[in-house]
Amino acid sequence: MGCAELVEATPAASPVDLRPVQIRGDQIAEELLGILRSDQIAASTRIAYLGIAHGWAGLLFTLLRWTRAMRRQASLVLPAKLDELAALAVAHNRGLCWTVHNNTTWLMPGWCNGTAGYTMLFALAHEVLGDEEYSRIAVGAAESAWAIKTQGGSLCCGNAGNGYAFLAAYRLTGSGIWLRRARAAARQAATDRSEHHYPDALYKGALGVVLLGCELQRPRKAAMPLFEPTR
């Protein structure tokens, strides 16, 4: 992800030599592809987590992000593993959600282990791979993120992360309902006064909420910081 950020942020006319970054990014990508090739998501004991911050969704997102940054053809492993992950989705309140682990029924809200992260994953999969089914899955995940209520405000586990997921659904569909839901999520996130919602934290506190509020002024270019690609 760090290599992708550097590649995307460096102008084409820059004198900076990006070859070391590209080489290192390719090395990491090959390691991640090896993990994807070696294990089945549903049966894995090596990686039981499914979500974006700790599990299979995060590995897939990272590789999609690197593929996009390098403007390359995606490995055939990616759609195969995306389909594996999609097959583990559970219907929930007109939407789709995933359990925290491949061997439990535990659900969580937010981005890190919840369906907000899957919205961003399948939205990026649609962008990179062009499969309309991934767009449908992304919107289904956003529906579930809206239905699973949380009082938390953070980007990681709360309403600010949900807000960015709703913006991803808005970019996919153009529907104003997702923009309204993103604004509602931002307003709810701003009410978090809990002791674990830190005033100076990006992913775990108020700074992420403020950033979401700013990005709602240009929703088609919004990107969850240090995660989604800038547009």
Side-chain angles (χ1 to χ4, degrees), residues 1-226:
M1 294 289 286
C3 292
E5 287 277 344
L6 290 170
V7 169
E8 291 174 344
T10 304
S14 171
V16 174
D17 182 7
L18 283 176
R19 283 176 297 178
V21 174
Q22 293 167 344
I23 290 170
R24 182 61 184 137
D26 282 339
Q27 290 171 342
I28 296 170
E30 194 55 41
E31 291 176 20
L32 298 183
L33 285 169
I35 294 172
L36 295 182
R37 293 186 183 107
S38 67
D39 218 345
Q40 296 295 308
I41 296 176
S44 178
T45 56
R46 178 183 182 184
I47 303 174
Y49 279 97
L50 299 179
I52 206 81
H54 309 288
W56 291 97
L59 300 183
L60 289 164
F61 188 95
T62 300
L63 286 164
L64 287 166
R65 180 86 190 271
W66 184 242
T67 298
R68 181 186 185 275
M70 295 299 290
R71 303 177 185 273
R72 290 179 181 158
Q73 187 80 15
S75 166
L76 294 178
V77 176
L78 292 180
K81 301 307 279 193
L82 283 162
D83 292 347
E84 273 188 48
L85 190 61
L88 297 177
V90 179
H92 184 274
N93 279 41
R94 298 186 305 164
L96 298 169
C97 67
W98 286 257
T99 57
V100 175
H101 306 98
N102 62 6
N103 57 5
T104 70
T105 58
W106 182 25
L107 299 178
M108 279 186 65
W111 168 85
C112 58
N113 289 297
T115 58
Y118 292 91
T119 303
M120 299 176 203
L121 168 63
F122 284 100
L124 184 60
H126 173 260
E127 180 183 344
V128 173
L129 302 173
D131 189 329
E132 286 299 324
E133 178 65 8
Y134 296 143
S135 176
R136 185 192 70 79
I137 296 170
V139 173
E143 286 283 3
S144 182
W146 175 253
I148 301 175
K149 302 301 182 183
T150 176
Q151 297 303 309
S154 72
L155 288 177
C156 178
C157 334
N159 282 298
N162 284 348
Y164 274 107
F166 301 150
L167 288 176
Y170 171 67
R171 290 193 300 272
L172 275 176
T173 65
S175 173
I177 189 172
W178 291 113
L179 186 54
R180 292 192 292 274
R181 287 178 174 182
R183 289 169 176 156
R187 289 193 296 270
Q188 182 63 36
T191 67
D192 190 345
R193 298 293 185 273
S194 66
E195 62 177 323
H196 299 297
H197 190 69
Y198 306 111
D200 56 354
L202 178 61
Y203 266 65
K204 289 285 191 177
L207 185 58
V209 181
V210 172
L211 183 60
L212 172 62
C214 294
E215 294 222 274
L216 281 165
Q217 305 303 313
R218 47 162 210 166
R220 291 198 175 277
K221 292 187 175 295
M224 189 161 172
L226 304 178

